[in-house]
Structure formats: C-alpha cells, structure tokens
Amino acid sequence: MKLDSKIPEGYISDKWTNHKNHLKLVAPNNRPKIDIIVVGTGLAGASAAASFGEMGYNVKAFCFQDSPRRAHSIAAQGGINAAKNYQNDGDSIYRLFYDTIKGGDYRAREANVHRLAEVSGNIIDQCVAQGVPFARDYGGMLDNRSFGGTQVQRTFYAAGQTGQQLLLGAYSALSRQIGQGNVQQFNRHEMLDIVKVDGKARGIIARNLITGEIERHSAHAVIIASGGYGNVYFLSTNAMGSNVSAGWKIHKKGAAFANPCYVQIHPTCIPVHGTNQSKLTLMSESLRNSGRIWVPKKKEDAEAIRAGKLKPTQIAEEDRDYYLERRYPAFGNLVPRDVASRAAKERCDAGYGIEANDTNEGVYLDFASEIISKGKQAALVAGDHNPSAEKIQELGKKWIEEKYGNLFQMYEKITAENPYEVPMKIYPAVHYTMGGVWVDYNLQSTIPGCFVAGEANFSDHGANRLGASALMQGLADGYFVLPYTVSDYLADEIRTGKISTQTAEFDEAEKSVRDQIDAFLNNNGSKSVDHFHKQLGHIMWNKVGMGRNAQGLAEAVKEIDALRAEFHRDVYVPGKADELNTELEKALRVADFMELGQLMAMDALQRNESCGGHFREEYQDSEGETLRDDVNFKFVGAWEYQGPDINKEILNKEDLNYEFIKIAARNYK
Amino acid sequence: MATKYININLKVWRQKDAKSKGQMETYKLNQVSTDSSFLEMLDQLNEQLINERKEPVAFDHDCREGICGMCSLYINGRAHGPDTLITTCQLHMRTFKDGETIYIEPWRSKAFPVIKDLVVDRSAFDRIQQAGGFVSVNTSGNTIDANATPINKHDADRSFEAAACIGCGACVASCKNGSAMLFVGAKVSQYALLPQGKIEAHDRVLAMVRQMDEEGFGNCTNTGACEIECPKGISLENIARMNREYLKASFS
Amino acid sequence: MALTGLFLCLFLVGHLIGNLQILYADPHQFNTYALFMTSNPAIKALSYLTYLSILFHAFDGALLTYRNVKARPVGYVKNNASANSKISSRNMGILGTVILIFIVTHMMSFWAVMHFDNKMPLEKISVKSQMAPAKDYYLTQSPGEYIPVDQVAADKKEAEASRKAFYIKDRTEFIFTGADVKKADGYKDLFKVTVAFFKDPKYGLVYTILYVISMLVLGFHLYHGFASAFQSLGLNHPKYNAAIKAFGIGFSIVVPFLFAVLPVYIHFFLKTI
C-alpha cells in the first residue's frame, strides 16, 4: 500500500490557503445531484452534514442514538482552544501549532496541525454567530482559561459543558438543514458495512435499530465521523454506545488504520468503585486550573486513609506530596495529560494511593488553597479589606461554584462526598484515542471517496492530545476542511448520476452483514456479550494501558486472539434480528473491538519507544520520562488488513517530516 | 462511604414493541452494590435475565454521566427517580433501602410513543428544533469576530442556563399535562437572550410553538413539576419568557 | 385563561367590597348598593363582561383539560406527583368545576331572584311614634316619599278589589290605583333575601356550610391561579416573583375568607330586625 499524505508544497502558513485555492469546485446547480453520507453526528459529523446541506448537496446523516444531539461530543467538559490571543498573553497561530505538535510528542503531521491552528479562530466566530453561549466577563467579552500543556489562556468555555454547547450549536445548524430538506436524518441506525464499487466508496449498509431492517444507502462520498475507540477497554469515559465499528469496517475494506496504540489516559477521572461498574466519569481538566494534586508523603498516612482512620483534611501541609508541582515546576498541575496520568500511576504503584478500592488507585485533587485565594480576591472586589475566614470560605466556594458548579455537583452525586469540603479523589482513565483511520491531508482514507473526520481519524494529535483540542479538531474538520476537500473529490462525480443500490456489491455487503447477525443469534453460547467485553477490557487495561512492555504486549496479542475465538464460540445473544435488540448491537460492536484490541497490542509492541500516551517501560529516562526514538520511529504506523487473522496485518509507514518545528525532547520542567 | 449490598424487588414495564400491549413484570435482584448507579443495577438485572435465558430489559442510555439526555425512566413515580437535579444514570443505589420495591416505567406521553420496554421515541423534540431552534447562519470563515458584539454577562449566563437543557424529556414525563413548554421555552430563551438570536426571534417562537402543538404535547398549567424534575434545573422563567415572546410575535 | 382569570380576580374584589356592606347590618345601604349595581349602565356593561369571562374561562379550562388528558393516553402505574407539585395546581379543573357549580347556584339564589322573581320583596321600614302604634312603610327612591304597606296591593286587580291606594307593577313600581300613574319606585330588599336565605330554618345551616366550603375551594383555585396567571402572561422576573407569589397567596386567603365570613355572620350572629 502506498501512503500519499498529499501535503501541499510551500511555507507552512501558506499551505492551506494555496491548497484551497487550487481545489476543484462543484457548481451550485450540480450539488443537488450528488449524495453524501455522513456517519456519526458528533461535532465533526454534525458540522460536516450541516455544511454540506447548506452548500446544496443531498445529505444523509446517520447516528445510532435517538437524536443527533446525543453524540458523545456532548460530554466534553472543559473547553475549546483557539488562537485568538484575546488575553494578550502572547498567543498566536504559530504558538497553538507549536504547542499541539509538542503536546503530541512530535508524532503528528505539521501541515495538518498548522491548518487546525489557522482555522481555530474561525470556529469561535462561527459558534458565537450560531448562538453558542460561551462564558463572558463583565465587559461582555469572551472569557478564557488555561489548559494542560500550554502557558497561555486560549481555552474558550461554557462552564463545564463546552462540548454540549458546541454540539448543540452544530446540531442546531444540522436541524436547520433537516428542516429545509437538505439533510435526511437517520436516527437509531448503525452502519454495519461500507460498499465499494470499482474501488470507490459508494454507499453503506445500515441496520435500523428499531425494526432490525437491513438498509442499503448509496452515495458519491461517504464521511465517517464516528468517534474514538476507547471502549475497547470496557471501562472508559466514553459513552456506552461509542464504538469503532464504522472505522473498523472500512479498515476491513481497505482503509489503513493508523497508530492504534496511541490512547489517551485522562488523569482526572473518578476512581473505579466496583465490579459492576459500567463506565468512568471524567472530571474536567479545567479543574487543574484551580485544584492541586497530591498524595500523602508518608506511606502510613496513605494506609490510614485507605483504612478510613484518617481524613485528608487531617494531613498537615508539610506531609503532603504535591508531586506534579515537585516534578514539573514550570507547568505544575497543568502538565499534559499523559504526563499527569503517569505521575499518578507512579505514586500509586509506589504505595501512596488513597482510594480504598481493589487496587488502591486514587490521588487527591484539592481546591482548599484556591478557595482561600479566590475568596480573598472576591472580598477585596466587594470592598471588604479585612474579611473573616468564614467570609473568605463562603466567597471562595461561590467562585468555585460559578466556574465548576456542575462538575462539583456531578462528583457529589456519584461519590456522595462534598468536594467543597474534602478533596476530590481522582485517578486516570481511558478517555480519547489519538489513533484512528489513516487519512491524507484532505482527510481522505485509502479508500477513494471515503473521508474520515474528528476522533475517528488519526491526523492531528500525534501521540497525545492536549486538552480542549478535540472539540477544535472536530469542528475544524467538519466546518472548514471537509466542505473544500470533499467538493474537490466530488467535482469528478458530477456525471456519475444516481448510484443504484441493486448491484452485486450491495448484495454481497448486505449478505455478509446478515450472515454475521445470524451467526450471533444462532450461536447459543453460554455467556453474555458483556462478560467477554469485560475480559477484553481487563487484558487491555493491564497490558496495553498506561505502562506497557514487550512481554505483556506479546501476551496480550495471544490472549486477545484466544478470547476472540472463545467469544465467537460461546457468546449468547438473545432475541431476534427483526426487533430492537441491544444485546445484538453490543455483540456486533464487541466483535470489532476484539480485532482492534489485538491490533493495538501489535502496534504498541512494534513501537519500541515511548511517546505521548504510549509508554513502554523499557524506554524511559532516569527520571521516568518518555524516551522517544526519533531515528527509528518518527513515522505514522498505518496497518493494512489482510483477512480475519489480525496477526497478518501489514504495517505501512508514513515518515513524519518536521520542516518548521525543531524536534526536541518534550520538557515541561 | 463504605459499600453495602442490598436486595431489591423491581416492577418493570415490559412491552414487546410499539404495537403490543405491555404490562408490569416483577423481578427480584440480590446483592446490588449501593455504589452502583441505577443503570448499573439494570445491567445487573439484564445479566441475570440473560443467564436465565430470558430477554433483557431494553432501556435507553449512553453517556452515563448526565449530559447526553438519552436515559429516561420513571422511577417510583418520578422522572429520573427520587433524587433531584440528576439524570437516571447519576442516580445511585444508595438512595434505596434494602428490601425496597422499585417501580420502573417509561416516559408516558402521546408525543413519546413506547418503542419497546422502557424505550420511547422522542423525535418530536428534534422536529421542534428543526422548526426553528437555530440561528440562520451558514458555515463560513467570514462571520464577524467573536468579540465584535459584546454581550452582557447576565444575559449570556441566563442564555447558557437555558441552553443547558439536555432534551431528555423529563419535563414532559413529569408534567401532568405532558407539556413540552419547558423544553421549548429553554430553547426559545437561549436565543431570545442573545443579540444573534433576536433577529429571527418572532418567526422562531411561532414556528416552534406550532410544531410543539402539532406533536400532541399538552399545555402548560404552571404546576411547576417540570422545573423540580428537570435534571439541569431549567427555570420556569424560560416558559414565561417564551409566553412573552409568543405574545409579542403574535401581536406584531 | 390568564386574562379572564385576572379579570375575575378584580371582579371578586368588587363583589367582596359590596358584600362586606352586609356587616354594617344596614339594609337600606345594602339595597341602595344593590340597586346601583343592577341599574348603572357602566356596571351593566361590566357585568356582561364578567359573564363572558366566566363562560370563556370555564370553556377554555374545559378545552385545556380535555387536550391535556389526551396528551397522556397511557398513565403511570405509580405516580408520585406530590413530590413535585402542589395538589391545587394539579386539580384546577376540578376546583374550577366546583366553583362553576357554585356560581350557578349562587346566581339562582340571589341574582335570579333579584332580576326575575315576582316575589322579590321590597324594602320596608317600621316607623314608630309615641302617638300611634308602629307602622310599616315602603321606602322609595323618591326622597321623602314613604308608602304605607297596608295601602299597597300586589296587583291592580287586588288593589281594586281591596280598594288600596297603590298597587305594584313590574316588581318595583308603586302605581296609584285610580289614576294608573307611577308614584315612586321601591327598593328591592336584597338584604332581606340574603338574610332569609342563610337563616332559613330548614336549610340555612346547610347553605352556610356549603358556602364556606365553596370559598375554601375558591381559595385553592386562587392559590395556584393568581401567580400562574402572571407566569402565563410572561410576567416572571426574579425581582418581582416573590412579591407576586406572596400577594397571590395573601389574595387567595383573604378574599375567600372574607366572603366566607358573611354567611357565617348572618347565620350565627346577625340579629333579625
């Protein structure tokens, strides 16, 4: 397989402009003759579908949820980055570009990331014009906060619900197009295969999740915006329905899958509580603006806390280890996510964890000092120059509530502890996947006519994503990249005419879907889908999680292979094909997770270096920091499917060239 | 908080599909961790049913962190259960007592027909949104700078509070009239409070209210149940604002 | 609903102020007021508006209830509505129906008697002097004119037969029997009708109790309805909500209470003159 990234020539800041200027166009009168399928209605999918609809294309949008508004982008909390420099702290497009490349541990494409930084400002303008209610200051101007891995304030936010507000903005734009008939929306539909005709993507097979009907939909281009694959770990911050199936199906039909081992483990999630747990809840990274992370300095204190004999508030200041501030004085609690996560694991592995669960895994996120400092500030502003301690507490808590109220409430509901009074307990959890379907600069996969956007592709975050960059990428892809690049592809399709679904290719694709469904329903095994999914998650978390090594990964490859065989042999899927059957839906998704999980372990095994979220224990420096190998691994690893035996997949390499940024060791000290 | 385990009785609405008649079925579930969320308890029930070779209970859920609005459930006579300001996925079993009987029913509204068991069709909300819940601005890189129009913080905050609606339908489910006024009021308010939204304010409120009525939702009689049961605490003020906007639009 | 409801609240205030005059126990003052209320053209117009409002309020309410019931064809097996709303707010239809029935019976007892009943009594006074035994006179609307009761016949026929000087025409007019000329207009004695109603030896206590219950129902209706009307009209503002609510609660307690005081007062405390 030849990987052509199609990165345009020219100076970094001119590439996108020049490229856009030379892309082919489809005239307005031709657009209604062209069909586009968009799978997924998160930030990338909804914004793309809305934009195509506005342009006049005939759009069909699909989501498995009961409404496009429920896509998991909605759960993003902290914010969205944009190089607006409203805070006059030295931000610029270059600075955002640089921070993102560095944050990704020099494993992302320069040209893509620069384009992302270029359009970041437009995103904010567009969203504000749509009526997205971002947080504002008293002068009526947009407010910003700071996120991990940066030293400027460039994150725009709406309390702890930024993803929700942005998605509802995109959803409103999409709704407008649905109302006008430009977009046909298919809710509760799941894409189960892509259909290729003469090598080009020409449609999909989808299952109506209510009736079970297998439907054929044809189009001149197919956009996959189906999100990430974090649920391969079973426990993650992803939604229960989030799955890799769309991305994996196109992989099996010829789309290369890049860097599957790059997984982001988010440092601030609520720790695991028990075996019946179904998901993990994120506490926004924005909390690290105000919270300080610590564990006890003394092991006996940690033990006493776990035993319930000591409260965190009883630990004296000098007996606390603010380990991020200790290890990374320049960035402190705002180091990138991978760094913060590993540091938490290091402390807990060393026996300082404070959570009383099976693994003792948990650290404190403490707001006490921020409450005092903001309380004093608020008192001063209110003209009280000599406030009492109680007044300071009251005002400080009010400030915290305004900034993070919904997060604090969410935490209290889940844990039954009041985070205004006692520090939050947090621990890393699987959150985001930087890997995904390989795409070129135009976001086109190795299947012509099949484009991939948002978290589902691999392109912009390298080996680690910075906070508040996922929302930026989703909307950049959907609003400002795909409308140009897909039109360029479609310019050659204006003579194609309507694509029939009554062809051998559609017959075959539908048959394979039906066969898979029948196989599951007739399997009559003995164990539930969740049983296998949890086992897969267990292997993944222990051997392909935060700390990886060659031996564990090799074991994982074998174990997953065996588990997959057992799954297909012994899974029990009740119910019928022609009805709402949630177990069947899960079985189809887990089947793909099994294959992907194995590939992730293989990818992690071949990458003999540590970079970003991929931490190989063999490759670390004396201080436990990641040790990259830029000589041998400065490439994108794009896997090519070779049939049911995942072990046979072929690794293709796209070399990464750093022309404009000097590649260096990542340093947040 | 120490983990405890409780045994509970469940009375669950089972309905094969939209056309079938449904009924309440009783299940016993033992060893439920009080740290489990309500939906994790249902997962446990389904695991038990699957092991007994019975059909699991269908229910809607997705993000399980209270923001996607997919989960619903009328639990012990209340939308999203006995706790307030949370969705069902955030409801935890520590709220219930050992030996308690818990009733679980789907949202009941003409506009939200049952699809199966506890799953209902809420696409009526989508159609209301499609009728006018947007600002008519096309995608372009050339809208005015985001800071070109300062917006009073008070209005921006009110707008955000209205926009926090997750579209779960608890307002409709708990309203004795099955009214969707809180949902529509919140959407109308979000835009009515912002300068960007004011341009189309009249057409928007008329179109959205027309669609709301067509969908078969009941009318508001200000019982206030929706505000109490709304997991996001959307204020009744938004309904008043919609009424105001509607009156203004009707007489001008 | 809101507009008619608030208008009817105003009506209640007017009606109450009128009724409270009963507490003065001055029949003439009350009857004068009753005459004014039934003859002033502006009041007349207002009263028609009130009738229309009541009809519209009732009709709209019924329609609303019908539509709202239709919006939930399948109910809940278990519903804990008291957790999120007040009982009065959930039962406005029932409360309103009770009030409508009350209004109809109330109008039959007083309004219909006042307007149509041929047996409507006219106000009399008893004049005592040291020289003569007490004698009853009809009060008239012409100042200084008093007509001795024993000189008035119920109609012309009776007057001619009994040779009385006056007879009553059209329920209030005193006519000279010989000349067929109107001498004066009497006052309908609504006070007497009212007192008789609540002091009825057989049913007085029942009427009184039913009236008090009706006012209780009205109180609950207003308890929700008053503030609700403001909300429906879009008048909801954090600054004024508390005041509207407080006023509404006060209104819903004070107005029905004062209305209820009257029958109780008449039945138990008023001494018949």
Side-chain angles (χ1 to χ4, degrees), chain A residues 67-128:
Chain A
S67 163
R69 65 177 291 155
R70 313 231 192 265
H72 199 54
S73 304
I74 200 130
Q77 297 171 350
I80 176 166
N81 287 331
K84 282 281 199 186
N85 195 29
Y86 283 160
Q87 305 305 326
N88 192 30
D89 52 6
D91 199 11
S92 64
I93 289 173
Y94 181 83
R95 191 81 71 169
L96 173 55
F97 160 61
Y98 173 82
D99 284 346
T100 309
I101 291 282
K102 179 186 171 193
D105 217 354
Y106 304 93
R107 288 293 175 266
R109 260 191 217 140
E110 270 189 339
N112 284 54
V113 176
H114 197 278
R115 174 176 65 191
L116 180 65
E118 278 175 61
V119 301
S120 65
N122 294 354
I123 296 172
I124 303 301
D125 299 342
Q126 179 71 26
C127 292
V128 167

Side-chain angles (χ1 to χ4, degrees), chain C residues 95 98-103 105-106 206-222 256-257 259-260:
Chain C
L95 295 172
V98 172
I99 294 167
L100 185 65
I101 294 169
F102 165 77
I103 292 173
T105 56
H106 181 67
V206 179
Y207 291 150
T208 304
I209 291 170
L210 285 177
Y211 261 67
V212 171
I213 291 174
S214 299
M215 288 309 108
L216 209 63
V217 170
L218 178 66
F220 277 109
H221 197 76
L222 289 173
F257 174 77
F259 269 118

Side-chain angles (χ1 to χ4, degrees), chain B residues 36-74:
Chain B
S36 288
S37 73
F38 197 83
L39 297 184
E40 284 163 358
M41 181 276 290
L42 284 180
D43 290 341
Q44 200 180 332
L45 170 69
N46 278 347
E47 189 74 19
Q48 178 177 314
L49 289 173
I50 292 167
N51 288 336
E52 292 167 2
R53 301 259 149 175
K54 287 180 188 152
E55 186 157 357
V57 180
F59 60 94
D60 265 332
H61 64 105
D62 201 25
C63 80
R64 296 212 180 182
E65 52 185 275
I67 195 73
C68 76
M70 187 107 172
C71 66
S72 52
L73 304 188
Y74 213 69

Side-chain angles (χ1 to χ4, degrees), chain B residues 75-201:
Chain B
I75 301 161
N76 277 349
R78 293 184 70 183
H80 294 302
D83 214 344
T84 53
L85 290 175
I86 50 162
T87 54
T88 293
C89 63
Q90 294 172 298
L91 177 66
H92 276 67
M93 292 311 291
R94 63 179 82 93
T95 320
F96 299 93
K97 291 193 286 287
D98 190 33
E100 191 169 342
T101 298
I102 304 171
Y103 285 75
I104 310 172
E105 298 174 73
W107 285 171
R108 294 294 189 192
S109 161
K110 182 169 176 250
F112 292 166
V114 173
I115 294 171
K116 182 178 181 176
D117 295 343
L118 302 169
V119 178
V120 299
D121 179 359
R122 285 170 288 194
S123 51
F125 272 7
D126 285 329
R127 288 188 291 273
I128 294 173
Q129 185 96 21
Q130 287 153 18
F134 46 75
V135 173
S136 294
V137 52
N138 278 3
T139 306
S140 86
N142 305 312
T143 49
I144 55 165
D145 185 87
N147 257 350
T149 315
I151 300 174
N152 170 310
K153 179 169 165 57
H154 182 264
D155 288 343
D157 287 351
R158 291 293 88 71
S159 173
F160 166 73
E161 284 162 17
C165 167
I166 57 173
C168 65
C171 46
V172 176
S174 52
C175 175
K176 80 173 190 57
N177 309 323
S179 167
M181 296 269 274
L182 193 66
F183 169 78
V184 183
K187 211 69 227 168
V188 166
S189 289
Q190 178 198 340
Y191 294 118
L193 282 159
L194 298 174
Q196 302 90 309
K198 288 208 167 99
I199 296 156
E200 301 169 273

